[in-house]
Every structure is written in structure tokens, then in C-alpha cells.
């Protein structure tokens, strides 16, 4: 499969997030979504992914769930349906961004 | 006459006022500081209150005692900042015009943001320790609590003093052990992050810490609601954690006046240039401490390092010169680990907490990311430094920028 080849050539960090942000593409996102058991990406998934990427580009930081649900038009409940079990981390992963971290 | 108005007379605002009043000519400059409270709280001390180590008297002093005589101190609630008119409106209707504004209004806990948290059980079986009231109520509760499930929940990031939840749970372990009821207490840390320690070096050095102390960890838990009658917290993905005693770190937000001023983000934190500390909206508004949206820790040490940068940059702007000072996100935090010991971390925007000695490379006396008695002594001594040096805006023998000298990455960790 073409998508399989896409992720094979790519480097990941030890948390399974893309090591290099510039490696990301829409095809990669779909492949990552399958790996994360998110399934086929629909329009609502893309609203979340595009919001995350735009925020990261502008702020240099992965936005919090609160920011996402307040500003992207996707409610917390829907977000959990789209990215079950840990949307903050899964959505970030599919969007090719690093995982949210604390200070220590 | 020109006006500088400072909003908030906590750690950050008080430091800034003291620094400015020393150098600005009182014939040319009117300095005004506004706060809703007369009392200055030593907030790092709140952590010790639930365990009876500190009482109220150890953490409060009148704000007035730390403010310079030439400045005007207004005790009142802020209604809003009208940035386009360079004015602050107070609740009484009083208007404060400014040439330069420093916003140091901090952050507050918002238990009302979480469904079911602030009902009948608030301060009965659900407590916070980020307010004096909450910490005192929890101290009362712990005095004769006989054991059960104690759950510490972090609602969402960012929070003030991100290490405080860990410190609380370490001190709780110590407290119940000394009381002889540790075997009757089940301690659980419930966090939205994917581990108690998320940075590689800290995780490698301290990863086994919680297990050693028999503290359970539930990760990636984003609290959706509290079912106080049942004694459980429920995540958005319907996972449940039962408790007998819930110690909550609710959502942290900037004050509502920031929202009314339309200057904040979704958490009422003010978009601020991470290096100059100027607000992104206006050139004559600077922001310091917990009130900013910076990707730095919300901590007193950060406010202190920022105060030196902000001072230099504001002076440059006043003189019509370009700003040259740049904040690097430096933070420096003692972490109580129980049993009379502590840890110390020193880091910035780019460098995570590493091993080493501090502040003198190779000498110390403090050890970074290591559990020592000296680190604990440092934390206790800091209270004196806070009241007598720090908030008075006096020079501290610590560089505001983080130093790499004396720091090292353990061989086992690849960054």
C-alpha cells in the first residue's frame, strides 16, 4: 500500500510522534490515524487537525483541549468521539505535533 | 506628570513597583498599584498548611509593608482595562489613566469550571490547597481523617506551580506514615498528562519515585465531572476514579477583568511576547507572572526572573530606545519530596530540568534533580528570602538567565 510506504520512510520519537514536523502530509495523517485506531479521517477530524496545526505554527505550542473545543467549533464530547481515549495526545500525533508536556 | 499603573500587588506586581520606585523621579512619575486585597499571601507556604507544618500566621502579612511610600495603593476590584483609551476602570467607577500599564493580576482556581465540583461537598470531601481558605479547611479535615482513598486530581494544564501536586502527594505520604496510618490510605495522582514526569531526564531520574512511595498514578485523565454524592470523578471518556477525599487542582484562569477587557485568551491569560514581555496587543502594556500566556511555568521564580527583564525593557521604552533584554523562560523550583528532603529543578524554554549543582557549578550547595536534605532546607529558607529580599525588589545573587554551566544530561538519556 502506498500509505504504508509513506510512514516507513519516516522517523518517529520514542513516544511515537513524528520526529520531524516537516515530514507530515495529509497521507501521513491518514496512516497515523489508522495506527492510532482513529480510523478513516472525515471532515470533523480535519477541523481538529487543521486547527491544531495552525495553532502550533502560530504559537509554537500544542493547544490545550479547552482552546480546541472553545475555538475550533468541536465540542469536548465530539472530540472524544473523533479521537477516543485521549484526544489531546492522539489528535496531536495525527497532526504530526509533539505530545503535550508538563515542566518536569 | 506621567503615570505607571500596576494591576495586582502579588509577587510580580510588588517586585515591579519596588524596582521602578527606586529609579523613577517622583516629580515626573506617578506610580499606582491596584489590588483587591490588603493581605499579601506567601503562596509557596500554602502547600505546608494541610499537614499542619505552617499555619495562617506563617503565610500572611499586610501588603502595605512591602510597598514603597511614594506610590499610591488602591484596594479595589478592577472592572476592566480600556486599552484604546489607555485607562483602567475600577469597580467604583474611578478611572486610572496610564502611560504604561503593567498587568500582574495572576491566576485563580476555577472549581466552577468543572461540573459538580463546587456543590455541597466543597470543602467537606472536596478540597483545594491553592487558596488559604482551602488549605486551612483541608488541614482541619486531615487532622482526624482515619484513612481511605485520597485522590489528587489535576483538571487541566496549565496550572500555577506545576510541581505542587507532586509535592502534595509526597508530603501526604510522609504525613500519613508519621501518623501511623499509611497502610489505611490509598494515594492516587490523577493527571491529564501521560505520566507524572513527562520530561526525559526527570522521567529517567525520578520515574521510580512514585512506585517506591506506593503512590498510584492514573494518566491521560481529563476530568469531565465530579459525582460528589457517589465520591467519584469521571473523565470525558467515561473512566471513573473513586475517592473518599478529593484534593482538586481545578482549572486555572486569569481574572475575569481580563476577559471583560478582551485582552485574554480562552483561559483569560494575556498573549505576551515570550522574550520582551510586552503584550502582543499594545506597546505600552507589559505583562508579568501568572497573568501571561507564556509557555513558562506559572511560578514565583519565573515572575522574579521576568521582573528583571521587564524592568530593563520598560526603561528602554521610556527612554525611546529599542528593547534589548530577552526572557529565556527561566524557572527554578524546589520540590518537597517528604521525609525532610527535597529536589530542585532549574530550566527554561529550551532546556528541560537536568542533573548538576546549583547555583555554583560543581559546588552547589543545592543538587539538581536529586533528593537531598539541603534542597529541603533551601525551600524552608526561601520564605525569609521571599519576604526580605525578593518582593522588596532587591538584588538576588542569581542570574535571571538560565546557565548551562554545572548541568549535565545523564548518560542513560538521549535527548
Amino acid at each position: 500500500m502506498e500509505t504504508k510506504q509513506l510512514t516507513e520512510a519516516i522517523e518517529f520519537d520514542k513516544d511515537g510522534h513524528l520526529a520531524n514536523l516537516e515530514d507530515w502530509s495529509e497521507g501521513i495523517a491518514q496512516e497515523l490515524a489508522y495506527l492510532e485506531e482513529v480510523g478513516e479521517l472525515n471532515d470533523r477530524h480535519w477541523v481538529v487537525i487543521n486547527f491544531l496545526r495552525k495553532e502550533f505554527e502560530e504559537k509554537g505550542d500544542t493547544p490545550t483541549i479547552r482552546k480546541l473545543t472553545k475555538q475550533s467549533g468541536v465540542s469536548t464530547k465530539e472530540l472524544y468521539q473523533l479521537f477516543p481515549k485521549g484526544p489531546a495526545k492522539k489528535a496531536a500525533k495525527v497532526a504530526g505535533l509533539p505530545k503535550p508536556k508538563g515542566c518536569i | 506628570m506621567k503615570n505607571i499603573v500596576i494591576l495586582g500587588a502579588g509577587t510580580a506586581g510588588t517586585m515591579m513597583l519596588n524596582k521602578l520606585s527606586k529609579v523613577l523621579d517622583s516629580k515626573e512619575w506617578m506610580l499606582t498599584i491596584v489590588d483587591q486585597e490588603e493581605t499579601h499571601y506567601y503562596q509557596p507556604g500554602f502547600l505546608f498548611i494541610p499537614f499542619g507544618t505552617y499555619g495562617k500566621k506563617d503565610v500572611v502579612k499586610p501588603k502595605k509593608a512591602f510597598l514603597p511610600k511614594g506610590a499610591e495603593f488602591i484596594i479595589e476590584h478592577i472592572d476592566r482595562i480600556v486599552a484604546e483609551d489607555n485607562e483602567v476602570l475600577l469597580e467604583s467607577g474611578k478611572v486610572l489613566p496610564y502611560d504604561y500599564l503593567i498587568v500582574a493580576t495572576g491566576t485563580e482556581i476555577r472549581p466552577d469550571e468543572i461540573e459538580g465540583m463546587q456543590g455541597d461537598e466543597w470543602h467537606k470531601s472536596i478540597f483545594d490547597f491553592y487558596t488559604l481558605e482551602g488549605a486551612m479547611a483541608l488541614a482541619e479535615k486531615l487532622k482526624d481523617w482515619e484513612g481511605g482513598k485520597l485522590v489528587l486530581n489535576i483538571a487541566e494544564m496549565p496550572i500555577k506551580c506545576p510541581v505542587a501536586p507532586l509535592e502534595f502527594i509526597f508530603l501526604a505520604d510522609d504525613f500519613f506514615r508519621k501518623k501511623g496510618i499509611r497502610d489505611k490510605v490509598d494515594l492516587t495522582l490523577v493527571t491529564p498528562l501521560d505520566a507524572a514526569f513527562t520530561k526525559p531526564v526527570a522521567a529517567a531520574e525520578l520515574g521510580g519515585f512514585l512506585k517506591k512511595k506506593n503512590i498510584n498514578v492514573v494518566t491521560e485523565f481529563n476530568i469531565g465531572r465530579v459525582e460528589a454524592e457517589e465520591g467519584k470523578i469521571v473523565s470525558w471518556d467515561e473512566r471513573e476514579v473513586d475517592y473518599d477525599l478529593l484534593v482538586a487542582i481545578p482549572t486555572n484562569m486569569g481574572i475575569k477583568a481580563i476577559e471583560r477587557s478582551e485582552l485574554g485568551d480562552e483561559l483569560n491569560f494575556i498573549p505576551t511576547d515570550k522574550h520582551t514581555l510586552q503584550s502582543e496587543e499594545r506597546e505600552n502594556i507589559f505583562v508579568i507572572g501568572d497573568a501571561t500566556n507564556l509557555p513558562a511555568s506559572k511560578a514565583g521564580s519565573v515572575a522574579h526572573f521576568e521582573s528583571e527583564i521587564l524592568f530593563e525593557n520598560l526603561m528602554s521604552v521610556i527612554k525611546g530606545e529599542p528593547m534589548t533584554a530577552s526572557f529565556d523562560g527561566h524557572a527554578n523550583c524546589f520540590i518537597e519530596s517528604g521525609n525532610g528532603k527535597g529536589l530542585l529543578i532549574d530550566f527554561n524554554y529550551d532546556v528541560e530540568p537536568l542533573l548538576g549543582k546549583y547555583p555554583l557549578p560543581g559546588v552547589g550547595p543545592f543538587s539538581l534533580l536529586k533528593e537531598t536534605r539541603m534542597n529541603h532546607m533551601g525551600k524552608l529558607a526561601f520564605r525569609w528570602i521571599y519576604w526580605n529580599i525578593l518582593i522588596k525588589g532587591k538584588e538576588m545573587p542569581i542570574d535571571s538567565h538560565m546557565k548551562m554551566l554545572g548541568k549535565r544530561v545523564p548518560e542513560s538519556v538521549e535527548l
Side-chain angles (χ1 to χ4, degrees), chain B residues 176-198:
Chain B
F176 294 123
R177 211 153 15 86
K178 290 194 173 123
K179 241 183 146 181
I181 60 166
R182 182 61 182 89
D183 59 333
K184 295 192 181 69
V185 179
D186 191 53
L187 288 175
T188 306
L189 171 69
V190 181
T191 169
L193 297 171
D194 73 344
F197 300 100
T198 56

Side-chain angles (χ1 to χ4, degrees), chain B residues 141-403:
Chain B
K141 176 81 178 183
L142 287 180
K143 243 187 221 168
D144 45 29
W145 194 56
E146 288 169 356
K149 292 191 176 103
L150 190 157
V151 169
L152 178 76
N153 172 241
I154 303 166
E156 61 185 305
M157 302 300 283
I159 57 170
K160 188 203 291 267
C161 191
V163 295
L166 284 170
E167 295 184 278
F168 182 90
I169 209 135
F170 294 154
L171 290 179
D173 166 63
D174 195 28
F175 175 79
F176 294 123
R177 211 153 15 86
K178 290 194 173 123
K179 241 183 146 181
I181 60 166
R182 182 61 182 89
D183 59 333
K184 295 192 181 69
V185 179
D186 191 53
L187 288 175
T188 306
L189 171 69
V190 181
T191 169
L193 297 171
D194 73 344
F197 300 100
T198 56
K199 294 285 166 87
V201 177
E205 290 300 309
L206 308 173
F209 230 71
L210 290 136
K211 203 165 184 192
K212 203 175 78 193
K213 292 176 188 285
N214 199 18
I215 295 161
N216 313 308
V217 186
V218 176
T219 58
E220 294 176 77
F221 186 99
N222 287 286
I223 189 168
R225 63 183 189 273
V226 181
E227 293 190 3
E229 301 275 294
E230 313 272 315
K232 63 185 180 194
I233 52 175
V234 185
S235 68
W236 284 102
D237 52 349
E238 300 295 329
R239 281 184 290 153
E240 298 181 353
V241 177
D242 293 333
Y243 66 82
D244 297 304
L245 179 55
L246 177 63
V247 180
I249 320 272
T251 305
N252 277 224
M253 293 177 78
I255 65 168
K256 288 174 184 158
I258 301 300
E259 191 178 1
R260 288 192 292 268
S261 310
E262 293 175 14
L263 286 173
D265 64 12
E266 74 285 355
L267 287 166
N268 305 341
F269 295 129
I270 303 172
T272 305
D273 185 288
K274 69 192 265 200
H275 296 302
T276 66
L277 305 178
Q278 204 169 37
S279 76
E280 285 176 7
E281 190 95 354
R282 297 273 158 175
E283 282 181 6
N284 64 342
I285 301 180
F286 285 82
V287 195
I288 183 169
D290 298 349
T292 73
N293 76 333
L294 300 186
S297 285
K298 297 196 180 295
S301 64
V302 174
H304 167 232
F305 299 135
E306 285 172 346
S307 75
E308 299 187 352
I309 305 296
L310 198 161
F311 174 76
E312 272 189 54
N313 282 343
L314 178 55
M315 291 320 248
S316 297
V317 170
I318 285 172
K319 288 179 200 147
E321 295 166 2
M323 293 184 283
T324 53
S326 176
F327 183 55
D328 66 353
H330 190 192
N332 181 283
C333 312
F334 287 108
I335 305 171
E336 281 294 288
S337 57
N339 209 15
K341 290 184 181 169
L343 301 149
L344 178 66
I345 52 174
D346 191 60
F347 59 101
N348 69 13
Y349 288 139
D350 304 314
V351 179
E352 66 179 81
L354 299 174
L355 292 167
K357 294 285 183 185
Y358 189 88
L360 298 175
V363 178
F366 303 116
S367 307
L368 298 170
L369 270 186
K370 290 281 179 207
E371 196 183 21
T372 70
R373 182 145 185 85
M374 184 56 88
N375 289 341
H376 165 70
M377 301 307 285
K379 175 125 183 168
L380 294 187
F382 183 71
R383 185 165 57 127
W384 186 90
I385 293 171
Y386 181 89
W387 291 122
N388 294 284
I389 300 174
L390 191 97
I391 59 169
K392 290 184 177 170
K394 293 182 185 171
E395 290 287 321
M396 293 263 287
I398 297 176
D399 203 294
S400 56
H401 293 105
M402 199 207 73
K403 296 275 176 264

Side-chain angles (χ1 to χ4, degrees), chain A residues 61 64-67 70-71 76-77 80 85-86 89 99-104, chain B residues 113 156-157 193-194 197-199 202 220 222 236-237 251 266-267 297 335 353:
Chain A
D61 216 358
T64 60
I65 289 198
R66 171 181 293 264
K67 181 165 210 160
K70 244 190 169 169
Q71 295 178 2
T76 311
K77 260 228 124 63
Y80 271 91
K85 295 178 194 163
K89 201 168 139 186
K99 74 167 184 180
K101 280 183 184 163
C103 78
I104 180 170
Chain B
E113 285 286 317
E156 61 185 305
M157 302 300 283
L193 297 171
D194 73 344
F197 300 100
T198 56
K199 294 285 166 87
E220 294 176 77
N222 287 286
W236 284 102
D237 52 349
T251 305
E266 74 285 355
L267 287 166
S297 285
I335 305 171

